[in-house]
Amino acid sequence: MNLPQSSFPRVVIIGGGFAGLAAAKGLENQELQVVLVDKHNYHTFQPLLYQVATGGLEPDSIAFPLRKRFNDVKNFFFRLAEVVQIHPDKKIIETSIGNLDYDELIIATGSTTNFFGNENIQKNTMEMKSVPQALDIRSLVLENFEEALLTDNLEERNALMNFVIVGGGPTGVELAGALAEMKKGILPKDYPDLDIRKMQINLIQSSAEILKGMSSEASEKAEDFLIGLGVNVWKNLRVLNYDNKIVTTNGEDHFRAETVIWAAGVKGEIVSGLNSSCVIEKAERYKVNEFNQVENHDNIYAIGDVACMKSETNPYGHPMMAQPAIQQGKLVAKNIIAKLFGKKTKAFVYNDKGSMATIGRNKAVVDLPKWKFQGVFAWFVWMFVHLFSLIGFRNKAIVFLNWVYNYVRFDRETRLIIRPFKKKNIV
Amino acid sequence: MNLPQSSFPRVVIIGGGFAGLAAAKGLENQELQVVLVDKHNYHTFQPLLYQVATGGLEPDSIAFPLRKRFNDVKNFFFRLAEVVQIHPDKKIIETSIGNLDYDELIIATGSTTNFFGNENIQKNTMEMKSVPQALDIRSLVLENFEEALLTDNLEERNALMNFVIVGGGPTGVELAGALAEMKKGILPKDYPDLDIRKMQINLIQSSAEILKGMSSEASEKAEDFLIGLGVNVWKNLRVLNYDNKIVTTNGEDHFRAETVIWAAGVKGEIVSGLNSSCVIEKAERYKVNEFNQVENHDNIYAIGDVACMKSETNPYGHPMMAQPAIQQGKLVAKNIIAKLFGKKTKAFVYNDKGSMATIGRNKAVVDLPKWKFQGVFAWFVWMFVHLFSLIGFRNKAIVFLNWVYNYVRFDRETRLIIRPFKKKNIV
């Protein structure tokens, strides 16, 4: 893979998400050679993907070039590649651009959409874990509105304007809210010859409440907000199938819809090579000890979404969110350095800073460890935290400018079909 | 096509570029039904495509949703469609979404890349007339650098870092300058393990000077600027072929390069149905009279790049640029309204406001009718004019912010491979 010779041990990090980036940062300018491998040349700020999907932000403002982040770091190397397999016996990873040997390996591959084995759903629904996927949703939503204009068949038109979002977690809730705001402020102006009242946004949640991981105050308020925005919230309803026409459920309701977004589950993005039965946890995550070491492999760490560290407070592992990923990335870097200098390593303790979700303009819910609040102030806190967490001054400035513009003008201006999803031949 | 019934005559405009947009604007709120048809749902600000291709601007900031532009215009309708054929006898256009009849038809389809019939060149080179094409160039440039890192074969590595731009018009010159600035300021930092001195930027022009349409002062200064930035400028050299490996020419020079951008010619984007031998001009443009009426068709107008209006001052038609397009669009709208009210129509007289091109930071050339100047001031004039010409406050603000950032930081931050060009399966 053409890396410079080095007498220092080599740490390979797979994945430039929150976890991988935090680890790489922690290993800067140490007596180590750090190689970051990712299939994209940019870091994706996943919490804002839903705004890309709904035309509120340009994709380039939530992506940050990984090479640039480490421009001045001498011991850092980036390689654009997909990892095919890990060979722990030979201490090698096999990638699309060749083999790479490691002394320490950090797996930070994150998570991918979990379709729970349903091939129809996997084939026919949209997912939203990457920038291209978010752009596909943006294109599809707009293409469906253009198509709705053309048909005289009322059922077909309604199906084109029917949006089903499966999964009432933060992704589903935020996407449903953003679509509802498009329905309110933008689509009636863009499509004056369509009856936008016919547009339906259905959020389907299999359990008894949305935002399950948050407080009941947050769940209830979020539901109120969504209903206020005109979203149909379906609880205790499980989607069984989608054949590209009809969403069938375990209840009496079914939905004829052209756009179905699957936000009902994620699973660890497991790399083959370590998957002996004992290392895979429920939802396919690597079982790790309190030092994030993968079971039976002292020099292989899994961090972030792909890691499942059981503890008394988190019997099913930590939530698959940015915070645990960042904290684990930082600690693993420290522990690797400690190991290098023969010092003592530290066990991971999750510092739960709380969680939040936004539903729309002036509407968010925030759970802090000692304080829960909802509404306008929560919305400003949400914006501030997200703006602050973005990488790079330019991205922060562009997102801020867009938010101010969208707030003042009640607008979401990047409703562009740059790469059509349905008619892929248009250039 | 599901358009509301109207007792007013219907004007159909094909294409939402500079010309079509100016025409649509001129017909706002008249006793006419205006239908704009475009294969994209956005207007592309083509003069800045080269900045998208080189990571200086996000695509969304130079595209503007067409529906939004006419949100409050009652007599305006937009349809996303590709036009298949014009049937002038039946006063109908045939499109990908059905037929549409017209009373007056404005063809503003613009221009497309002219490969002069060379299929190899068409298949193997990159073109840059649309946002997706500019994004493809951005991906390819970055993918080639990633690949250059991996090979030990020196010839192959040099080919991956060899950029050939064919055509010394504004597009070729601006792209060559932008690539040269990437070579200078950005790529050495992003790829410290590559010898960026090996990166070659070759600009090949078939005639004796670059920027042929401009003054000799402008051409000469632009060439100086390019050479100063390290671009190899080849004049009086004609590219004959590119087999995806080697660019062959009519001279002794040939170039082994992985990236060849074809900016050597454009031709009108002719729609079939009117192409009797008499209406097609050299470079395939519709032959129009001084009212932009297509020969033999009183109610069909061609405007902008696709129109060829011969006059004493412009024996080959007007230059294929924004200014004639905008001016013709405005006048055709006025003439159609005049016809409606039985008033006299006016012949087109081109008001040449001059032309300009930018080569890089503080380096531009400007030809005004009575004043020619080059350098820093020209560069500020170029920026001001382009910023001012962009549609929409948000786009202006975002482009301005990017330019200030890029200027202060010597950076171009959107170097993202969001949709890979070579490995299309990465999502």
Side-chain angles (χ1 to χ4, degrees):
Chain A
M1 214 181 267
N2 261 359
L3 284 160
Q5 291 289 337
S6 167
S7 56
F8 298 142
R10 178 184 291 162
V11 182
V12 172
I13 304 170
I14 312 177
F18 288 115
L21 220 53
K25 217 166 131 181
L27 296 170
E28 271 179 18
N29 301 318
Q30 296 292 326
E31 294 188 338
L32 290 163
Q33 190 185 58
V34 179
V35 184
L36 176 63
V37 179
D38 198 300
K39 64 177 172 176
H40 292 130
N41 78 336
Y42 53 88
H43 165 80
T44 304
F45 192 77
Q46 291 190 343
L48 291 178
L49 279 176
Y50 81 97
Q51 296 212 6
V52 171
T54 51
L57 289 176
E58 44 274 84
D60 305 41
S61 65
I62 67 157
F64 192 84
L66 286 167
R67 287 192 176 279
K68 179 173 166 65
R69 171 61 191 81
F70 297 96
N71 261 348
D72 304 317
V73 183
K74 290 270 177 293
N75 69 329
F76 176 89
F77 298 88
F78 174 76
R79 287 298 178 268
L80 184 70
E82 285 184 280
V83 176
V84 179
Q85 186 156 10
I86 302 168
H87 298 279
D89 45 328
K90 301 183 218 154
K91 299 216 271 180
I92 276 180
I93 62 166
E94 195 185 322
T95 80
S96 54
I97 58 169
N99 290 346
L100 179 64
D101 49 293
Y102 60 82
D103 295 295
E104 311 278 336
L105 177 66
I106 302 176
I107 308 173
T109 41
S111 55
T112 180
T113 309
N114 196 347
F115 296 100
F116 303 105
N118 189 319
E119 282 176 28
N120 270 336
I121 288 180
Q122 179 158 9
K123 199 175 68 190
N124 298 319
T125 66
M126 309 293 289
E127 45 181 322
M128 198 181 68
K129 291 288 290 174
S130 72
V131 172
Q133 289 168 350
L135 287 172
D136 281 343
I137 293 177
R138 181 174 94 177
S139 289
L140 181 62
V141 169
L142 296 167
E143 285 178 276
N144 281 343
F145 270 93
E146 295 293 337
E147 240 182 280
L149 271 177
L150 306 176
T151 178
D152 281 323
N153 181 326
L154 195 67
E155 266 195 42
E156 204 179 299
R157 192 190 299 152
N158 288 343
L160 285 159
M161 292 164 70
N162 194 2
F163 296 83
V164 174
I165 300 162
V166 190
T171 304
V173 166
E174 295 182 328
L175 197 56
L179 280 172
E181 293 207 323
M182 284 185 85
K183 177 181 174 178
K184 215 171 136 189
I186 291 157
L187 297 169
K189 282 192 218 149
D190 266 10
Y191 300 92
D193 30 356
L194 270 183
D195 186 349
I196 298 290
R197 287 173 301 181
K198 296 283 176 66
M199 175 181 178
Q200 300 283 316
I201 303 153
N202 296 291
L203 181 68
I204 304 180
Q205 165 72 338
S206 58
S207 65
E209 52 177 14
I210 60 169
L211 296 180
K212 242 176 24 181
M214 294 186 72
S215 66
S216 57
E217 291 96 312
S219 313
E220 282 161 25
K221 195 68 190 172
E223 193 179 335
D224 285 353
F225 283 147
L226 284 172
I227 292 169
L229 281 168
V231 173
N232 307 322
V233 181
W234 305 83
K235 293 183 295 186
N236 292 313
L237 191 66
R238 189 177 292 275
V239 168
L240 299 180
N241 206 357
Y242 176 56
D243 62 0
N244 220 5
K245 286 269 173 234
I246 312 272
V247 177
T248 48
T249 67
N250 66 344
E252 293 193 352
D253 299 293
H254 68 271
F255 304 84
R256 183 168 169 193
E258 286 284 312
T259 318
V260 179
I261 296 151
W262 187 257
V266 287
K267 59 180 182 184
E269 179 90 277
I270 295 289
V271 185
S272 66
L274 299 182
N275 40 0
S276 59
S277 63
C278 60
V279 290
I280 306 295
E281 261 297 326
K282 191 189 157 207
E284 295 186 65
R285 300 164 82 183
Y286 291 113
K287 192 173 174 180
V288 297
N289 65 15
E290 67 272 34
F291 300 99
N292 281 96
Q293 285 163 311
V294 175
E295 214 174 43
N296 303 327
H297 301 285
D298 274 4
N299 63 338
I300 304 182
Y301 306 81
I303 56 177
D305 284 4
V306 80
C308 179
M309 186 193 293
K310 288 184 181 188
S311 65
E312 264 181 44
T313 43
N314 291 284
Y316 301 106
H318 297 99
M320 292 160 91
M321 302 192 319
Q323 270 307 316
I326 293 168
Q327 292 174 24
Q328 290 177 358
K330 278 185 189 169
L331 185 66
V332 158
K334 275 189 194 151
N335 281 342
I336 286 176
I337 296 166
K339 214 158 108 179
L340 192 70
F341 290 103
K343 291 196 180 151
K344 242 192 114 189
T345 54
K346 257 169 77 178
F348 180 71
V349 181
Y350 177 41
N351 171 15
D352 186 355
K353 295 186 180 171
S355 54
M356 48 181 80
T358 188
I359 296 91
R361 188 184 181 79
N362 297 333
K363 294 178 188 69
V365 293
V366 174
D367 285 355
L368 298 185
K370 293 187 177 172
W371 187 28
K372 301 178 204 330
F373 52 103
Q374 301 91 31
V376 181
F377 180 64
W379 188 68
F380 276 99
V381 170
W382 179 92
M383 285 212 298
F384 179 79
V385 168
H386 282 76
L387 204 58
F388 189 78
S389 310
L390 274 166
I391 304 179
F393 172 77
R394 197 199 70 100
N395 283 4
K396 286 189 178 73
I398 300 246
V399 168
F400 181 69
L401 202 152
N402 273 298
W403 282 352
V404 170
Y405 180 85
N406 295 350
Y407 190 77
V408 174
R409 300 286 293 264
F410 289 81
D411 209 342
R412 287 162 179 269
E413 212 169 77
T414 69
R415 39 191 193 278
L416 311 163
I417 310 173
I418 286 185
R419 311 261 192 183
F421 180 73
K422 285 180 160 178
K423 295 191 177 165
K424 294 186 199 278
N425 58 333
I426 308 261
V427 287
Chain B
M1 214 181 268
N2 262 358
L3 284 160
Q5 291 290 334
S6 166
S7 56
F8 297 144
R10 177 183 291 161
V11 183
V12 172
I13 304 170
I14 311 177
F18 288 115
L21 220 53
K25 217 166 132 181
L27 296 169
E28 271 179 18
N29 301 317
Q30 295 292 327
E31 294 189 338
L32 291 163
Q33 191 185 57
V34 179
V35 185
L36 176 63
V37 179
D38 198 299
K39 65 178 172 175
H40 292 131
N41 78 336
Y42 53 88
H43 165 80
T44 304
F45 192 77
Q46 290 189 341
L48 292 177
L49 279 175
Y50 81 97
Q51 296 212 4
V52 172
T54 50
L57 289 176
E58 45 273 83
D60 305 41
S61 66
I62 66 155
F64 191 84
L66 286 167
R67 288 192 175 279
K68 179 173 166 67
R69 171 63 192 79
F70 297 96
N71 261 348
D72 304 317
V73 183
K74 289 269 176 294
N75 69 330
F76 176 89
F77 298 88
F78 174 76
R79 287 297 178 271
L80 184 71
E82 283 185 280
V83 176
V84 179
Q85 187 156 10
I86 301 167
H87 298 280
D89 46 327
K90 301 183 216 154
K91 298 216 272 181
I92 275 178
I93 61 164
E94 195 184 323
T95 80
S96 55
I97 58 169
N99 289 345
L100 179 65
D101 49 292
Y102 61 82
D103 295 295
E104 312 277 337
L105 177 65
I106 302 175
I107 308 173
T109 41
S111 55
T112 180
T113 309
N114 196 348
F115 296 100
F116 305 105
N118 189 319
E119 282 175 30
N120 269 336
I121 289 181
Q122 180 159 7
K123 199 175 69 191
N124 298 321
T125 65
M126 310 294 288
E127 44 182 322
M128 198 182 66
K129 292 288 289 176
S130 71
V131 172
Q133 287 168 352
L135 287 172
D136 281 343
I137 293 177
R138 182 174 93 177
S139 289
L140 180 63
V141 169
L142 296 167
E143 285 177 275
N144 281 344
F145 271 92
E146 295 294 338
E147 239 182 281
L149 272 178
L150 306 175
T151 177
D152 282 324
N153 180 325
L154 196 68
E155 267 195 41
E156 204 178 300
R157 192 191 298 152
N158 288 344
L160 286 160
M161 293 165 70
N162 193 3
F163 295 83
V164 174
I165 299 163
V166 190
T171 304
V173 167
E174 295 183 329
L175 198 55
L179 279 172
E181 294 207 324
M182 284 184 84
K183 176 181 175 178
K184 213 170 138 189
I186 292 157
L187 296 169
K189 283 192 218 152
D190 267 11
Y191 300 92
D193 29 355
L194 269 182
D195 186 349
I196 298 291
R197 286 174 302 182
K198 295 284 177 65
M199 175 181 178
Q200 299 284 317
I201 302 154
N202 295 292
L203 180 69
I204 304 180
Q205 165 72 339
S206 58
S207 64
E209 52 177 13
I210 60 169
L211 296 180
K212 239 175 26 176
M214 295 187 71
S215 65
S216 56
E217 291 96 313
S219 312
E220 282 161 25
K221 195 69 190 172
E223 194 179 334
D224 284 352
F225 282 147
L226 284 172
I227 292 169
L229 281 168
V231 174
N232 307 324
V233 180
W234 305 83
K235 293 183 295 185
N236 292 314
L237 191 65
R238 189 177 292 276
V239 168
L240 299 179
N241 206 357
Y242 177 55
D243 62 359
N244 220 6
K245 286 267 172 235
I246 312 271
V247 177
T248 49
T249 67
N250 67 345
E252 293 193 354
D253 300 292
H254 68 270
F255 304 85
R256 183 169 169 193
E258 285 285 312
T259 317
V260 179
I261 295 152
W262 186 257
V266 289
K267 59 180 180 182
E269 178 90 277
I270 295 289
V271 185
S272 67
L274 299 182
N275 42 357
S276 60
S277 64
C278 60
V279 291
I280 306 296
E281 261 298 326
K282 191 189 156 206
E284 296 187 64
R285 301 164 80 182
Y286 291 114
K287 191 173 174 181
V288 297
N289 66 16
E290 67 272 34
F291 302 99
N292 281 96
Q293 286 163 308
V294 175
E295 214 174 42
N296 303 327
H297 301 285
D298 274 5
N299 63 338
I300 303 183
Y301 306 81
I303 56 177
D305 284 4
V306 80
C308 179
M309 187 193 293
K310 288 186 180 186
S311 65
E312 265 181 44
T313 43
N314 291 285
Y316 301 106
H318 298 99
M320 291 162 91
M321 303 191 318
Q323 271 306 317
I326 294 168
Q327 293 175 24
Q328 289 178 357
K330 278 186 188 167
L331 185 67
V332 158
K334 275 189 193 151
N335 281 342
I336 287 175
I337 297 167
K339 213 159 109 179
L340 191 72
F341 289 104
K343 290 195 180 152
K344 243 192 114 190
T345 55
K346 257 169 78 178
F348 180 73
V349 181
Y350 177 42
N351 172 14
D352 186 356
K353 295 184 178 171
S355 54
M356 48 180 81
T358 189
I359 294 90
R361 188 184 183 79
N362 298 333
K363 294 178 188 69
V365 293
V366 174
D367 285 355
L368 297 185
K370 294 188 178 172
W371 187 27
K372 301 178 202 333
F373 52 104
Q374 301 91 29
V376 181
F377 180 65
W379 188 69
F380 276 99
V381 169
W382 180 93
M383 285 214 295
F384 178 79
V385 167
H386 282 76
L387 204 58
F388 188 78
S389 310
L390 274 166
I391 304 178
F393 172 78
R394 196 199 71 100
N395 283 5
K396 286 188 178 74
I398 299 246
V399 168
F400 180 69
L401 203 152
N402 273 298
W403 282 351
V404 171
Y405 180 85
N406 295 350
Y407 189 77
V408 175
R409 301 285 293 264
F410 289 80
D411 208 344
R412 291 165 176 265
E413 212 170 78
T414 71
R415 40 190 193 278
L416 311 163
I417 310 172
I418 286 184
R419 310 261 192 185
F421 180 74
K422 286 181 160 177
K423 295 190 177 165
K424 293 185 200 281
N425 58 333
I426 308 260
V427 289

